[in-house]
Amino acid sequence: MWSDRTPQKQLIGIDVGGTKIAACLVDLQGRILSTIQRPTDVTEPEATLDSIAGSVKQLMDANQLDSKSIDAIGFGIPGLVDAEKGIGIASVNLGWKNIAVRAGLEARLEIPCIIDNDVRAGAKGEARFGAARGLSNFIYLNIGTGISAVILLDGKIFLGTRGLAGEIGHAVLVPDGPECKCGGRGCFEAVASGPGIAERALGKIKNGQDSILAPQGGSHLPILTAENVFEAALHHDQVAIETLEEIGKLMAYSLQYLTLAYDPEAIIIGGSVVLSNPLLFKNIQQMLRKLGRSSWVFGKAYSKDLVRLSTLGNNAGVLGAAALVAPQP
């Protein structure tokens, strides 16, 4: 069906989010050549597929590409994805349940499409273009609104018996801690995701600690975000500083667990929470050094390069999607 296509020298990657779609044209080295963004229509699944396909057509029109000049297009999709069957099993952000994503996009675009979960795509992007180049055994940990990991062993993604490998966000870090959307309490995600960081700082304010984050001249508690906490820490706010110290320790414990479970060459951290906050990453590294000194077992695995930040930054989504269709180097 697709035999009349010429080998591509450019890749198209599409990062699908609940509010916006980013479409990117990149070369085989991962250099961005062109990018566009448009809102995601989530009114119904067919409308969402239309808006995704529309972003591809807009990008191709802007770069004078036709359907025969592109071998395939990669799509990073939030939520549970069956990449082999091309099915969006479930996505809270998109309101999807068992949607034939690949078939729907190929019908609209007449180009082969490859879909995968956005975090798995991000891991493949790091392996191809980013901080994990040349590594066969690494873990990609994405920390944002949610928390999840992708484990690559001998160059292949390890899914586990039930496809749950890497769902570290739902491992309990703080017994009887804050409620998690999975139904548990004290999960890594509930404690250390963006919303979890904001909630921890808010708890300190509720307990009467002084902070520039506290309401001024009124009794209503503020609506906080992790970004508010990061900004307050830059202004030497004690609540924010304490919050990030505590979160840094908890993140370091989780990184230690992952290291001792899988013995990776490196753990790559992506996602907005750590990438946008150097102080938090500094706290993580300080605690990891302490753990490495106190335990000879973890000390054998620990080095200053064990945990690394993603080098793809805000482009991780589109470059990860592009990596899904990149030829083998």
Side-chain angles (χ1 to χ4, degrees), residues 289-310:
R289 281 196 296 272
K290 183 177 180 180
L291 293 170
R293 293 189 187 111
S294 63
S295 165
W296 68 264
V297 178
F298 181 60
K300 286 176 67 68
Y302 174 74
S303 73
K304 64 182 179 64
D305 295 323
L306 172 65
V307 177
R308 312 172 188 178
L309 292 177
S310 163

Side-chain angles (χ1 to χ4, degrees), residues 141-155:
L141 179 64
N142 186 275
I143 305 176
T145 304
I147 295 177
S148 63
V150 178
I151 300 147
L152 274 87
L153 303 176
D154 295 326

Side-chain angles (χ1 to χ4, degrees), residues 23 34 39 54 59 66 75 78 100 108 121 129 146 159 182 186 197 216 225 240 257 292:
S34 178
L59 180 71
D66 61 31
F75 298 82
R108 287 166 169 81
F129 304 122
L159 297 176
C182 75
I197 291 171
Q216 304 296 318
T225 66
Y257 302 156

Side-chain angles (χ1 to χ4, degrees), residues 47 74 80 135 197 262 285 290:
L80 296 176
L135 303 184
I197 291 171
Y262 296 102
Q285 292 285 40
K290 183 177 180 180

Side-chain angles (χ1 to χ4, degrees), residues 28-316:
L28 297 182
Q29 287 71 48
R31 291 186 289 258
I32 293 176
L33 306 174
S34 178
T35 185
I36 64 103
Q37 288 188 1
R38 62 186 290 167
T40 310
D41 185 342
V42 294
T43 54
E44 60 177 3
E46 289 299 314
T48 306
L49 291 173
D50 285 341
S51 62
I52 296 171
S55 71
V56 175
K57 292 175 181 177
Q58 183 180 345
L59 180 71
M60 293 180 67
D61 288 346
N63 291 277
Q64 299 180 328
L65 298 171
D66 61 31
S67 62
K68 292 184 179 181
S69 61
I70 296 294
D71 281 348
I73 302 170
F75 298 82
I77 309 290
L80 296 176
V81 174
D82 185 328
E84 185 175 343
K85 295 180 180 178
I87 303 294
I89 298 171
S91 175
V92 174
N93 290 343
L94 300 177
W96 279 359
K97 188 173 183 180
N98 295 321
I99 302 299
V101 179
R102 183 175 63 206
L105 291 172
E106 288 184 346
R108 287 166 169 81
L109 296 169
E110 298 184 342
I111 300 173
C113 297
I114 296 177
I115 73 165
D116 207 339
N117 164 267
D118 53 356
V119 180
R120 286 201 296 266
K124 292 177 181 178
E126 292 293 341
R128 180 62 187 253
F129 304 122
R133 277 181 294 183
L135 303 184
S136 298
N137 298 285
F138 73 91
I139 296 170
Y140 176 70
L141 179 64
N142 186 275
I143 305 176
T145 304
I147 295 177
S148 63
V150 178
I151 300 147
L152 274 87
L153 303 176
D154 295 326
K156 297 180 180 179
I157 291 179
F158 176 69
L159 297 176
T161 303
R162 302 167 190 84
L164 294 175
E167 289 293 343
I168 187 70
H170 299 293
V172 174
L173 270 187
V174 181
D176 300 319
E179 186 175 356
C180 182
K181 61 187 178 184
C182 75
R185 300 194 71 89
C187 296
F188 186 13
E189 183 172 301
V191 172
S193 64
I197 291 171
E199 190 62 30
R200 178 170 286 251
L202 187 60
K204 294 178 182 295
I205 294 170
K206 287 180 180 178
N207 289 333
Q209 288 187 241
D210 290 333
S211 171
I212 60 175
L213 296 168
Q216 304 296 318
S219 59
H220 295 293
L221 288 170
I223 298 175
L224 295 182
T225 66
E227 288 74 19
N228 297 145
V229 179
F230 301 157
E231 182 68 23
L234 294 177
H235 290 86
H236 310 290
D237 180 80
Q238 195 59 34
V239 162
I241 290 171
E242 286 181 9
T243 297
L244 296 183
E245 286 176 349
E246 293 163 4
I247 295 297
K249 288 180 180 179
L250 292 171
M251 287 185 175
Y253 295 149
S254 292
L255 291 165
Q256 183 192 41
Y257 302 156
L258 286 169
T259 300
L260 294 177
Y262 296 102
D263 192 20
E265 296 169 84
I267 299 176
I268 314 300
I269 298 182
S272 59
V273 165
V274 180
L275 294 182
S276 64
N277 187 5
L279 177 59
L280 179 56
F281 187 63
K282 178 181 177 182
N283 292 341
I284 293 169
Q285 292 285 40
Q286 286 178 341
M287 189 62 192
L288 286 172
R289 281 196 296 272
K290 183 177 180 180
L291 293 170
R293 293 189 187 111
S294 63
S295 165
W296 68 264
V297 178
F298 181 60
K300 286 176 67 68
Y302 174 74
S303 73
K304 64 182 179 64
D305 295 323
L306 172 65
V307 177
R308 312 172 188 178
L309 292 177
S310 163
T311 57
L312 302 184
N314 293 331
N315 295 318

